[in-house]
Amino acid sequence: MPEQQSTPFSADGPTGIWADFRSDTVTRATPAMRRAMAEASVGDDVYGEDPTVNALQERIAALTGKEAALFCTSGTQSNLAGILSHCQRGDEFLTGRNNHVMVNEVGGAAALGGAVPWPLEIDEQGCFTPDDVRAAVKEPDQHHPVTRLLSLENTVNGHVQSVDQIADLIAAAREHDLAVHLDGARLFNAAVAEGVGIDAYCADTDTVSLCLSKGLGAPVGTVLAGDQDSISRAFRIRKMLGGGMRQSGHLAAAGLHALDHHVDRLVEDHDRAGRIADGLRSIDGMEAVHATNMVWATPPADHHDGLVAHLEAAGILMCFWKPTLRIVTHLDVDDGHADLLVDTVGEFLGRT
Ligand SMILES: Cc1ncc(COP(=O)(O)O)c(C=O)c1O
């Protein structure tokens, strides 16, 4: 059985749901995005003939300061193609214990590519240190896998790592000739929060994966960017994974539209998450941590189940991960939804 919560959706969207804060992946394409998708010039991308896919790939290559880029179906496919472009069977990659490639991608790098993940311990913000990286690299020894790659993530659960933090981690990896992949599913959130260009984060990586279907609001798609050799290898792996698409320019058009219209506005999502966290903290017994477009809220333990039932009955969705609630802001929620959430929590805890 899928683990997603079952919700009463109709073809036009959720019914009986007032505000969906489960993830920034739940957005629906805006009317302008749908027009851009419908009107896109397309060709067969397996033949390299889709002008809109080519334009998106060139755009992301330029934005990241990389030689090439590859349009993938999802963040999972893009991370897998990126990791396997660096690792052979039996090679090891280092990554954070709770990073998405470690725990949420079905073990694909190990199952399909024979690459062995080595989890690094993390702090409360999901970070590990350059010394953690150095200490995890295996000595050359017939018993060990060859440590080949460091796989980073930014943001991690909404938490931003600065450009300097990422540069220090990469420097530690380079001391041991490791390749570096960055899962940037929400790297635009990090860049906007830090007030830097996305290229500042990508400069020293070999490959970087950027999702268009999270905060940027496209219905599908992730782009892997890197040097030409890495992307050429990833291109073959994507094909092996069934990711060679045909007139995918219709999808790429959504990504181009998102880059034009939905990057600068991420600051609104961050501010709105801050508004929710402030509101929740003002309610007796509620704790809330704000990180970019996410809020991690902890109600009093004995009220958790009752609060979840109350929110669901009110049509407000979030990830109810006991003891914590994850609330994510995105294109399809506004200040009215944010205030409704805070008022509904306050109303429940005020009367318990
Ligand atoms: C940090 C991170 N990386 C990768 C992914 C995978 O993206 P997708 O769902 O498109 O496969 C996600 C999805 O939520 C994510 O949060």
Side-chain angles (χ1 to χ4, degrees):
M1 281 291 286
E3 285 172 2
Q4 275 92 355
Q5 301 163 86
S6 62
T7 50
F9 283 94
S10 76
D12 296 328
T15 55
I17 303 300
W18 286 99
D20 190 345
F21 292 97
R22 286 171 300 166
S23 175
D24 47 13
T25 58
V26 301
T27 54
R28 291 175 171 70
T30 61
M33 183 179 276
R34 287 173 196 233
R35 274 196 300 281
M37 294 172 74
E39 289 164 11
S41 306
V42 296
D44 189 330
D45 183 50
V46 171
Y47 294 117
E49 290 171 1
D50 190 302
T52 311
V53 171
N54 291 339
L56 175 65
Q57 292 176 162
E58 283 160 23
R59 177 90 174 265
I60 293 281
L63 271 175
T64 53
K66 300 295 182 201
E67 288 172 354
L70 184 66
F71 186 41
C72 295
T73 57
S74 65
T76 301
Q77 185 182 74
S78 175
N79 280 330
L80 184 52
I83 290 172
L84 298 187
S85 77
H86 304 300
C87 293
Q88 300 294 313
R89 299 189 75 78
D91 284 348
E92 178 187 65
F93 65 100
L94 312 179
T95 193
R97 189 172 53 75
N98 71 339
N99 278 183
H100 206 270
V101 297
M102 184 74 213
V103 287
N104 285 317
E105 298 187 7
V106 208
L112 303 179
V116 186
W118 181 269
L120 301 173
E121 282 310 316
I122 44 146
D123 65 17
E124 281 184 350
Q125 322 252 291
C127 297
F128 48 83
T129 68
D131 280 341
D132 295 333
V133 172
R134 293 185 186 101
V137 176
K138 308 288 172 295
E139 293 292 326
D141 182 296
Q142 62 170 330
H143 299 89
H144 297 323
V146 175
T147 311
R148 190 73 71 188
L149 171 74
L150 173 65
S151 183
L152 299 166
E153 184 176 313
N154 201 15
T155 62
V156 181
N157 293 331
H159 296 289
V160 175
Q161 288 167 275
S162 70
V163 170
D164 286 347
Q165 269 175 295
I166 293 286
D168 289 347
L169 290 167
I170 294 176
R174 297 305 188 198
E175 288 167 19
H176 297 277
D177 294 328
L178 305 190
V180 177
H181 172 73
L182 172 58
D183 174 1
R186 295 184 180 81
L187 194 64
F188 283 104
N189 294 83
V192 164
E194 292 288 281
V196 298
I198 198 115
D199 55 327
Y201 276 115
C202 305
D204 296 325
T205 61
D206 294 294
T207 46
V208 56
S209 172
L210 298 174
C211 285
L212 304 163
S213 59
K214 310 261 169 353
L216 297 197
V220 68
T222 296
V223 183
L224 182 72
D227 61 281
Q228 188 58 63
D229 286 350
S230 299
I231 297 302
S232 298
R233 291 192 295 274
F235 179 65
R236 291 180 60 81
I237 295 162
R238 183 190 70 167
K239 183 72 180 154
M240 199 186 293
L241 295 171
M245 296 181 282
R246 301 296 179 171
Q247 285 72 30
S248 40
H250 291 298
L251 303 176
L256 284 167
H257 181 87
L259 291 171
D260 285 336
H261 301 285
H262 297 167
V263 174
D264 292 342
R265 65 153 303 285
L266 287 173
V267 72
E268 282 176 39
D269 293 344
H270 299 180
D271 290 349
R272 192 158 292 127
R275 177 186 179 112
I276 291 170
D278 288 345
L280 291 177
R281 277 192 291 259
S282 72
I283 300 167
D284 233 12
M286 278 302 289
E287 290 171 21
V289 174
H290 167 220
T292 58
N293 68 330
M294 297 190 188
V295 179
W296 298 88
T298 315
D302 47 340
H303 293 316
H304 185 281
D305 294 343
L307 177 60
V308 165
H310 183 72
L311 286 164
E312 281 185 324
I316 300 172
L317 294 182
M318 58 191 69
C319 287
F320 301 121
W321 291 335
K322 209 168 184 175
T324 310
L325 313 174
R326 187 186 76 167
I327 299 154
V328 186
T329 53
H330 51 74
L331 257 173
D332 288 0
V333 290
D334 58 22
D335 284 342
H337 296 114
D339 294 344
L340 177 71
L341 187 166
V342 172
D343 291 348
T344 307
V345 172
E347 178 192 279
F348 178 79
L349 289 180
R351 72 166 195 234
T352 55

